[in-house]
mmCIF file of all heavy atoms in Angstrom:
data_model
loop_
_atom_site.group_PDB
_atom_site.id
_atom_site.type_symbol
_atom_site.label_atom_id
_atom_site.label_comp_id
_atom_site.label_asym_id
_atom_site.label_seq_id
_atom_site.Cartn_x
_atom_site.Cartn_y
_atom_site.Cartn_z
ATOM 1 N N LEU E 251 26.743 -46.545 -83.999
ATOM 2 C CA LEU E 251 26.787 -48.045 -84.182
ATOM 3 C C LEU E 251 28.188 -48.565 -84.071
ATOM 4 O O LEU E 251 28.366 -49.565 -83.545
ATOM 5 C CB LEU E 251 26.075 -48.381 -85.444
ATOM 6 C CG LEU E 251 24.640 -48.157 -85.619
ATOM 7 C CD1 LEU E 251 24.087 -48.392 -86.952
ATOM 8 C CD2 LEU E 251 23.914 -49.010 -84.552
ATOM 9 N N VAL E 252 29.179 -47.871 -84.658
ATOM 10 C CA VAL E 252 30.536 -48.293 -84.541
ATOM 11 C C VAL E 252 31.045 -48.287 -83.125
ATOM 12 O O VAL E 252 31.643 -49.238 -82.625
ATOM 13 C CB VAL E 252 31.407 -47.370 -85.412
ATOM 14 C CG1 VAL E 252 32.906 -47.506 -85.144
ATOM 15 C CG2 VAL E 252 31.195 -47.633 -86.904
ATOM 16 N N VAL E 253 30.627 -47.134 -82.392
ATOM 17 C CA VAL E 253 31.041 -47.138 -80.961
ATOM 18 C C VAL E 253 30.317 -48.270 -80.138
ATOM 19 O O VAL E 253 30.912 -48.823 -79.216
ATOM 20 C CB VAL E 253 30.858 -45.716 -80.379
ATOM 21 C CG1 VAL E 253 31.119 -45.654 -78.938
ATOM 22 C CG2 VAL E 253 31.559 -44.664 -81.223
ATOM 23 N N VAL E 254 29.125 -48.566 -80.474
ATOM 24 C CA VAL E 254 28.386 -49.582 -79.838
ATOM 25 C C VAL E 254 29.106 -50.941 -80.044
ATOM 26 O O VAL E 254 29.277 -51.756 -79.108
ATOM 27 C CB VAL E 254 26.935 -49.749 -80.280
ATOM 28 C CG1 VAL E 254 26.309 -51.012 -79.882
ATOM 29 C CG2 VAL E 254 26.099 -48.496 -79.727
ATOM 30 N N VAL E 255 29.575 -51.173 -81.266
ATOM 31 C CA VAL E 255 30.347 -52.443 -81.552
ATOM 32 C C VAL E 255 31.646 -52.424 -80.757
ATOM 33 O O VAL E 255 32.010 -53.395 -80.259
ATOM 34 C CB VAL E 255 30.530 -52.504 -83.122
ATOM 35 C CG1 VAL E 255 31.675 -53.640 -83.455
ATOM 36 C CG2 VAL E 255 29.291 -52.755 -83.842
ATOM 37 N N MET E 256 32.323 -51.311 -80.753
ATOM 38 C CA MET E 256 33.585 -51.123 -80.016
ATOM 39 C C MET E 256 33.317 -51.392 -78.562
ATOM 40 O O MET E 256 34.160 -52.033 -77.833
ATOM 41 C CB MET E 256 34.217 -49.861 -80.207
ATOM 42 C CG MET E 256 34.634 -49.537 -81.675
ATOM 43 S SD MET E 256 35.844 -50.602 -82.331
ATOM 44 C CE MET E 256 37.281 -49.918 -81.461
ATOM 45 N N ARG E 257 32.133 -50.954 -77.923
ATOM 46 C CA ARG E 257 31.832 -51.227 -76.597
ATOM 47 C C ARG E 257 31.741 -52.716 -76.355
ATOM 48 O O ARG E 257 32.155 -53.231 -75.314
ATOM 49 C CB ARG E 257 30.549 -50.425 -76.214
ATOM 50 C CG ARG E 257 30.252 -50.536 -74.746
ATOM 51 C CD ARG E 257 28.746 -49.927 -74.479
ATOM 52 N NE ARG E 257 28.479 -49.961 -73.134
ATOM 53 C CZ ARG E 257 28.230 -50.904 -72.345
ATOM 54 N NH1 ARG E 257 28.250 -52.120 -72.748
ATOM 55 N NH2 ARG E 257 28.068 -50.705 -70.984
ATOM 56 N N GLY E 258 31.069 -53.368 -77.385
ATOM 57 C CA GLY E 258 30.886 -54.860 -77.284
ATOM 58 C C GLY E 258 32.317 -55.503 -77.258
ATOM 59 O O GLY E 258 32.575 -56.438 -76.403
ATOM 60 N N LEU E 259 33.250 -55.065 -78.025
ATOM 61 C CA LEU E 259 34.618 -55.559 -78.025
ATOM 62 C C LEU E 259 35.223 -55.334 -76.749
ATOM 63 O O LEU E 259 35.984 -56.196 -76.205
ATOM 64 C CB LEU E 259 35.352 -55.014 -79.237
ATOM 65 C CG LEU E 259 34.913 -55.449 -80.546
ATOM 66 C CD1 LEU E 259 35.630 -54.583 -81.632
ATOM 67 C CD2 LEU E 259 34.984 -56.919 -80.807
ATOM 68 N N LEU E 260 35.058 -54.171 -76.152
ATOM 69 C CA LEU E 260 35.706 -53.847 -74.809
ATOM 70 C C LEU E 260 35.070 -54.710 -73.769
ATOM 71 O O LEU E 260 35.793 -55.207 -72.929
ATOM 72 C CB LEU E 260 35.389 -52.348 -74.484
ATOM 73 C CG LEU E 260 35.916 -51.848 -73.167
ATOM 74 C CD1 LEU E 260 37.486 -51.990 -73.099
ATOM 75 C CD2 LEU E 260 35.434 -50.450 -72.885
ATOM 76 N N ARG E 261 33.788 -55.023 -73.858
ATOM 77 C CA ARG E 261 33.065 -55.918 -72.869
ATOM 78 C C ARG E 261 33.807 -57.275 -73.023
ATOM 79 O O ARG E 261 34.156 -57.964 -71.988
ATOM 80 C CB ARG E 261 31.642 -55.982 -73.073
ATOM 81 C CG ARG E 261 30.945 -57.057 -72.450
ATOM 82 C CD ARG E 261 30.681 -56.771 -70.970
ATOM 83 N NE ARG E 261 29.892 -55.645 -70.671
ATOM 84 C CZ ARG E 261 29.929 -55.028 -69.566
ATOM 85 N NH1 ARG E 261 30.705 -55.308 -68.646
ATOM 86 N NH2 ARG E 261 29.199 -53.919 -69.438
ATOM 87 N N GLN E 262 33.961 -57.863 -74.204
ATOM 88 C CA GLN E 262 34.594 -59.112 -74.407
ATOM 89 C C GLN E 262 36.011 -59.190 -73.989
ATOM 90 O O GLN E 262 36.371 -60.213 -73.250
ATOM 91 C CB GLN E 262 34.563 -59.541 -75.915
ATOM 92 C CG GLN E 262 33.149 -59.865 -76.334
ATOM 93 C CD GLN E 262 33.190 -60.258 -77.875
ATOM 94 O OE1 GLN E 262 34.118 -59.904 -78.541
ATOM 95 N NE2 GLN E 262 32.161 -60.919 -78.328
ATOM 96 N N ALA E 263 36.779 -58.103 -74.115
ATOM 97 C CA ALA E 263 38.159 -58.156 -73.750
ATOM 98 C C ALA E 263 38.222 -58.009 -72.285
ATOM 99 O O ALA E 263 39.085 -58.637 -71.622
ATOM 100 C CB ALA E 263 38.913 -56.875 -74.405
ATOM 101 N N THR E 264 37.310 -57.276 -71.646
ATOM 102 C CA THR E 264 37.286 -57.165 -70.177
ATOM 103 C C THR E 264 36.994 -58.462 -69.549
ATOM 104 O O THR E 264 37.637 -58.916 -68.639
ATOM 105 C CB THR E 264 36.356 -56.152 -69.803
ATOM 106 O OG1 THR E 264 36.641 -54.857 -70.305
ATOM 107 C CG2 THR E 264 36.170 -55.921 -68.261
ATOM 108 N N GLN E 265 36.022 -59.110 -70.139
ATOM 109 C CA GLN E 265 35.607 -60.466 -69.612
ATOM 110 C C GLN E 265 36.897 -61.441 -69.701
ATOM 111 O O GLN E 265 37.110 -62.240 -68.854
ATOM 112 C CB GLN E 265 34.437 -60.987 -70.358
ATOM 113 C CG GLN E 265 33.888 -62.388 -69.704
ATOM 114 C CD GLN E 265 33.490 -62.221 -68.254
ATOM 115 O OE1 GLN E 265 32.739 -61.250 -67.863
ATOM 116 N NE2 GLN E 265 33.882 -63.147 -67.447
ATOM 117 N N LEU E 266 37.506 -61.481 -70.947
ATOM 118 C CA LEU E 266 38.597 -62.365 -71.135
ATOM 119 C C LEU E 266 39.741 -62.053 -70.166
ATOM 120 O O LEU E 266 40.403 -62.961 -69.644
ATOM 121 C CB LEU E 266 39.144 -62.180 -72.562
ATOM 122 C CG LEU E 266 38.229 -62.891 -73.695
ATOM 123 C CD1 LEU E 266 38.793 -62.477 -75.083
ATOM 124 C CD2 LEU E 266 38.113 -64.386 -73.421
ATOM 125 N N ARG E 267 40.006 -60.853 -69.856
ATOM 126 C CA ARG E 267 41.006 -60.466 -68.977
ATOM 127 C C ARG E 267 40.596 -60.970 -67.615
ATOM 128 O O ARG E 267 41.468 -61.364 -66.826
ATOM 129 C CB ARG E 267 41.272 -58.952 -68.956
ATOM 130 C CG ARG E 267 42.483 -58.546 -68.213
ATOM 131 C CD ARG E 267 42.881 -57.076 -68.399
ATOM 132 N NE ARG E 267 44.102 -56.892 -67.682
ATOM 133 C CZ ARG E 267 44.859 -55.788 -67.762
ATOM 134 N NH1 ARG E 267 44.476 -54.766 -68.543
ATOM 135 N NH2 ARG E 267 45.870 -55.561 -67.099
ATOM 136 N N GLN E 268 39.414 -60.695 -67.141
ATOM 137 C CA GLN E 268 39.063 -61.157 -65.828
ATOM 138 C C GLN E 268 39.141 -62.667 -65.749
ATOM 139 O O GLN E 268 39.628 -63.212 -64.751
ATOM 140 C CB GLN E 268 37.564 -60.735 -65.514
ATOM 141 C CG GLN E 268 37.477 -59.288 -65.305
ATOM 142 C CD GLN E 268 35.983 -58.830 -65.224
ATOM 143 O OE1 GLN E 268 34.996 -59.637 -65.432
ATOM 144 N NE2 GLN E 268 35.744 -57.590 -64.856
ATOM 145 N N ASP E 269 38.694 -63.398 -66.772
ATOM 146 C CA ASP E 269 38.878 -64.904 -66.816
ATOM 147 C C ASP E 269 40.236 -65.327 -66.697
ATOM 148 O O ASP E 269 40.617 -66.265 -65.983
ATOM 149 C CB ASP E 269 38.249 -65.487 -68.152
ATOM 150 C CG ASP E 269 36.611 -65.286 -68.095
ATOM 151 O OD1 ASP E 269 36.127 -65.043 -67.046
ATOM 152 O OD2 ASP E 269 36.069 -65.499 -69.279
ATOM 153 N N LEU E 270 41.138 -64.621 -67.396
ATOM 154 C CA LEU E 270 42.544 -64.995 -67.433
ATOM 155 C C LEU E 270 43.168 -64.720 -66.110
ATOM 156 O O LEU E 270 43.945 -65.459 -65.632
ATOM 157 C CB LEU E 270 43.287 -64.130 -68.558
ATOM 158 C CG LEU E 270 44.769 -64.522 -68.761
ATOM 159 C CD1 LEU E 270 44.903 -65.919 -69.105
ATOM 160 C CD2 LEU E 270 45.352 -63.592 -69.834
ATOM 161 N N SER E 271 42.759 -63.655 -65.481
ATOM 162 C CA SER E 271 43.312 -63.305 -64.062
ATOM 163 C C SER E 271 42.908 -64.402 -63.055
ATOM 164 O O SER E 271 43.588 -64.616 -62.109
ATOM 165 C CB SER E 271 42.931 -61.929 -63.573
ATOM 166 O OG SER E 271 41.588 -61.839 -63.377
ATOM 167 N N GLU E 272 41.752 -64.933 -63.210
ATOM 168 C CA GLU E 272 41.355 -65.913 -62.383
ATOM 169 C C GLU E 272 42.052 -67.244 -62.522
ATOM 170 O O GLU E 272 42.402 -67.979 -61.557
ATOM 171 C CB GLU E 272 39.718 -66.263 -62.533
ATOM 172 C CG GLU E 272 38.911 -65.112 -62.070
ATOM 173 C CD GLU E 272 37.458 -65.345 -62.405
ATOM 174 O OE1 GLU E 272 37.091 -66.478 -62.859
ATOM 175 O OE2 GLU E 272 36.609 -64.402 -62.195
ATOM 176 N N VAL E 273 42.436 -67.488 -63.803
ATOM 177 C CA VAL E 273 43.243 -68.721 -64.062
ATOM 178 C C VAL E 273 44.651 -68.615 -63.548
ATOM 179 O O VAL E 273 45.151 -69.507 -62.990
ATOM 180 C CB VAL E 273 43.222 -68.987 -65.613
ATOM 181 C CG1 VAL E 273 44.221 -70.094 -65.934
ATOM 182 C CG2 VAL E 273 41.868 -69.335 -66.149
ATOM 183 N N VAL E 274 45.168 -67.421 -63.692
ATOM 184 C CA VAL E 274 46.568 -67.225 -63.178
ATOM 185 C C VAL E 274 46.532 -67.041 -61.718
ATOM 186 O O VAL E 274 47.144 -67.568 -60.874
ATOM 187 C CB VAL E 274 47.181 -66.082 -63.847
ATOM 188 C CG1 VAL E 274 48.492 -65.686 -63.331
ATOM 189 C CG2 VAL E 274 47.242 -66.119 -65.417
#
């Protein structure tokens, strides 16, 4: 369950990074 939560955090960070790269 902890790794599943960490996977969710990785998903959010990946999405934020993609969004940021589109803005820049």
Side-chain angles (χ1 to χ4, degrees):
L251 291 173
V252 167
V253 177
V254 167
V255 169
M256 297 297 285
R257 186 187 189 286
L259 293 173
L260 179 63
R261 169 74 62 203
Q262 287 179 342
T264 302
Q265 185 61 45
L266 288 172
R267 186 166 188 177
Q268 288 173 354
D269 292 347
L270 186 60
S271 67
E272 289 175 9
V273 171
V274 174

